[in-house]
Amino acid sequence: MVPDLVIAGATLAGHATPMDVAIGAGRIIGIAPQIVAEAPRHAAEGNLLAPGLVECHIHLDKAGILERCALERGTLAEAVAETARLKAGFTEEDVYARAAVVVEQAISHGTMAMRTFVEIDPRAGLRSFDAIKAIRADYAHAIPIEICAFAQEGLTNEPATEPLLATALADGADLVGGCSYTDPDPAEHIRRIFALAERFGVAADFHVDFDLDPEGSDLPAIIAETERRGWQGRVACGHATKLAAMPPDAVAAMAARLAGAGIGIVALPATDLFLLGRDADRLAPRGVAPLMALAAAGVVTAVASNNILNPFTPFGDASLLRQANLFANVAQLSRDSDLDQAFAMIGANAARLLGRAHGLAVGAAADLVLIDATSEADAVRRCAPVLAGWKNGRQSFVRPRAALLGR
Ligand SMILES: [Zn+2]
């Protein structure tokens, strides 16, 4: 096949010298030290060419509402209550406008696939869901977006939510999400979310164990339902910060069970660090799930943004490299091999968690991001700038390197 484009002279993980990458009909059709073709060439100038980054846990519907909030305590309870108050006033246009800002930032930071939660309950109705469906359609050329119909504020305490989730799942939601820690009956909440997942044949993604008490984990209930229903490989859990408070032998035991059940764990360091450990008057704990120990036991582990500029996380620009860097710093990583793993947590691992193909190989989709870095570890160490990206072989953004002037 004649290439449509050659990205020339790029650093690729696993190759000692720069390579050319040929793209045809949206796929990678050649990787070699020198590819001679009539096609247009993009000079990579030795920068790192990597598969597109994957955001596996974000909340587009409630991003960008920080200026509407009155934050006093900075706690999880306050964040949930403030968001509940505000979302009753969300309109479809408002949600669309705020989500579009975040999606465009994500694209320009090299993110090429995304799973977003959308809160569906009596306050939000289906307005946020309708807005995010429009976002999904309008940005499909640059970023496929999965929509997780999400019960942020519980199920057993709010009977109107469950039929709304079912309506969304029948009308284009890709999967269902639960939040056991806001439900007065966590085990029943988990059972009902799995029942919806089974009824609609979709994956399930939970917000779980979001505190630093090592006791009372909901993970065993999720593991049991996953195994009972044969949902291995289709379940993810975000936060899981109780694992950060458990002794190493308890973490190892839980890790073995999670790995056996094919359940992925997603750390959300910006939120976990912001909301947890506020009762400490000194030496505040880190409170981020111990992903390296989990990964060593075979658990699929990922890092994600979670929230952007809202009561849960008053920070953020949808840069996944920023989150990988934050995680690496919190987890005290220094070896290149460990930083490579942190890179995989916003790339290959996150894609696996979403059940998406991912990789830079002949035959793969040409979802490629060019990063101003010499290696994956270097990209994480420096939150390296992203320079350009191609989605299915078509350039989806350019972000020119800063140039000094005046000398
Ligand atoms: Zn979340």
Side-chain angles (χ1 to χ4, degrees), residues 13 31 33 38 57 65 91 117 119 171 211 217 283 296 315 319 327 330 366 382 387 391 401:
I31 300 173
E38 296 269 310
H57 184 132
I65 56 170
T91 65
F117 294 82
E119 293 180 21
D171 190 29
D211 60 56
S217 172
L283 296 176
F315 309 108
S319 162
F327 169 75
V330 167
R382 296 188 297 107
L387 301 170
K391 180 68 180 174
R401 176 190 273 125

Coordinates of all heavy atoms in Angstrom, one line a residue, residues 13 31 33 38 57 65 91 117 119 171 211 217 283 296 315 319 327 330 366 382 387 391 401:
A13 N 9.5 3.6 21.6 CA 9.9 2.7 22.7 C 10.3 1.4 22.1 O 9.6 0.9 21.2 CB 8.7 2.5 23.7
I31 N 7.1 0.3 9.6 CA 8.0 0.9 10.6 C 9.4 0.4 10.2 O 9.6 -0.8 10.2 CB 7.6 0.4 12.1 CG1 6.2 0.8 12.5 CG2 8.6 1.0 13.1 CD1 5.7 0.2 13.8
P33 N 13.8 2.0 9.7 CA 14.8 3.1 9.8 C 14.6 4.2 8.8 O 14.8 5.4 9.0 CB 16.1 2.5 9.8 CG 15.9 1.0 10.2 CD 14.5 0.7 9.6
E38 N 6.5 8.6 -1.8 CA 6.1 9.9 -2.4 C 5.3 10.7 -1.4 O 5.0 11.9 -1.6 CB 5.3 9.7 -3.6 CG 6.0 9.0 -4.8 CD 6.7 10.0 -5.7 OE1 6.0 10.9 -6.2 OE2 7.9 9.8 -6.0
H57 N -11.1 7.7 33.3 CA -12.0 8.1 34.4 C -12.0 9.6 34.5 O -11.1 10.2 35.0 CB -11.5 7.4 35.7 CG -12.4 7.7 36.8 ND1 -12.8 6.7 37.7 CD2 -13.0 8.8 37.3 CE1 -13.6 7.2 38.6 NE2 -13.7 8.5 38.4
I65 N -17.0 23.9 37.2 CA -18.1 24.6 37.9 C -17.5 25.2 39.2 O -18.2 25.7 40.1 CB -19.2 23.6 38.3 CG1 -18.7 22.4 39.1 CG2 -20.0 23.2 37.1 CD1 -19.8 21.6 39.7
T91 N -28.2 23.0 32.6 CA -28.9 22.8 31.4 C -28.1 22.0 30.4 O -26.8 21.9 30.6 CB -29.3 24.2 30.8 OG1 -28.0 24.8 30.4 CG2 -30.0 25.1 31.7
F117 N -17.8 9.6 33.1 CA -19.0 9.3 33.9 C -20.0 10.5 33.7 O -19.6 11.6 33.4 CB -18.7 9.3 35.4 CG -17.8 8.1 35.7 CD1 -16.4 8.1 35.6 CD2 -18.4 6.9 36.2 CE1 -15.6 7.0 35.8 CE2 -17.6 5.8 36.5 CZ -16.2 5.9 36.3
E119 N -23.6 11.9 35.6 CA -24.5 11.6 36.8 C -25.9 11.7 36.2 O -26.3 12.6 35.5 CB -24.3 12.7 37.8 CG -22.9 12.5 38.5 CD -22.6 13.5 39.6 OE1 -23.5 14.1 40.2 OE2 -21.3 13.6 39.9
D171 N -30.6 3.9 25.8 CA -30.5 5.0 24.8 C -29.1 5.5 24.6 O -28.9 6.7 24.4 CB -31.4 6.2 25.4 CG -31.6 7.3 24.4 OD1 -31.6 7.0 23.1 OD2 -31.8 8.4 24.8
D211 N -11.9 6.5 51.3 CA -11.5 7.1 52.6 C -10.2 6.3 53.0 O -9.7 5.5 52.2 CB -12.6 6.9 53.6 CG -12.9 5.5 53.9 OD1 -12.0 4.7 54.2 OD2 -14.1 5.1 53.7
S217 N -13.9 -2.5 53.5 CA -13.8 -2.3 52.1 C -15.0 -2.9 51.4 O -15.5 -4.0 51.8 CB -12.5 -3.0 51.6 OG -12.5 -3.1 50.2
L283 N 1.7 16.1 58.8 CA 2.1 14.9 58.1 C 0.8 14.2 57.4 O 0.5 13.1 57.6 CB 2.7 13.9 59.1 CG 4.1 14.3 59.7 CD1 4.5 13.3 60.7 CD2 5.1 14.5 58.6
A296 N 2.3 -5.3 40.4 CA 3.2 -6.4 40.6 C 2.5 -7.7 40.8 O 3.0 -8.8 40.5 CB 4.2 -6.1 41.7
F315 N -8.3 21.8 40.5 CA -7.2 21.9 39.6 C -7.5 21.2 38.3 O -8.5 20.5 38.2 CB -6.0 21.2 40.3 CG -5.7 21.6 41.7 CD1 -6.0 20.7 42.7 CD2 -5.2 22.8 42.0 CE1 -5.8 21.0 44.1 CE2 -4.9 23.1 43.3 CZ -5.2 22.2 44.4
S319 N -4.5 17.2 31.2 CA -3.3 16.6 30.8 C -3.0 15.3 31.5 O -2.8 15.3 32.8 CB -2.1 17.5 31.0 OG -0.9 16.8 31.0
F327 N 1.3 11.1 40.1 CA 1.3 9.7 40.7 C 2.7 9.3 40.9 O 3.1 8.7 42.0 CB 0.6 8.7 39.7 CG 0.8 7.3 40.2 CD1 0.2 6.8 41.3 CD2 1.8 6.5 39.6 CE1 0.4 5.5 41.8 CE2 2.0 5.2 40.0 CZ 1.4 4.7 41.2
V330 N 4.1 11.0 44.0 CA 3.5 10.5 45.2 C 4.0 9.1 45.5 O 4.2 8.7 46.7 CB 2.0 10.5 45.1 CG1 1.3 9.7 46.2 CG2 1.4 11.9 45.0
A366 N -3.6 4.1 13.4 CA -2.6 5.2 13.5 C -3.1 6.3 14.4 O -3.4 7.4 14.1 CB -2.3 5.8 12.1
R382 N 9.2 14.9 33.1 CA 9.1 16.3 32.8 C 7.7 16.8 32.5 O 7.6 18.0 32.1 CB 10.1 16.6 31.7 CG 11.6 16.3 32.0 CD 12.5 16.8 30.9 NE 12.3 16.2 29.7 CZ 11.7 16.8 28.6 NH1 11.3 18.0 28.7 NH2 11.6 16.1 27.5
L387 N 3.4 17.6 21.2 CA 3.6 18.5 20.0 C 2.5 18.3 18.9 O 2.2 19.3 18.2 CB 5.0 18.2 19.4 CG 6.2 18.5 20.4 CD1 7.4 17.9 19.8 CD2 6.3 19.9 20.7
K391 N -5.2 11.0 14.7 CA -6.2 10.0 15.0 C -6.6 9.3 13.8 O -7.1 10.0 12.8 CB -7.4 10.8 15.7 CG -8.5 9.9 16.1 CD -8.1 9.0 17.2 CE -9.3 8.1 17.7 NZ -8.8 7.1 18.7
R401 N 6.1 23.8 19.7 CA 7.1 24.0 20.8 C 7.3 25.5 21.1 O 7.3 26.2 20.1 CB 8.4 23.3 20.5 CG 9.5 23.4 21.4 CD 10.8 22.9 20.8 NE 11.0 21.5 21.1 CZ 11.2 20.6 20.1 NH1 11.2 21.0 18.8 NH2 11.4 19.3 20.4

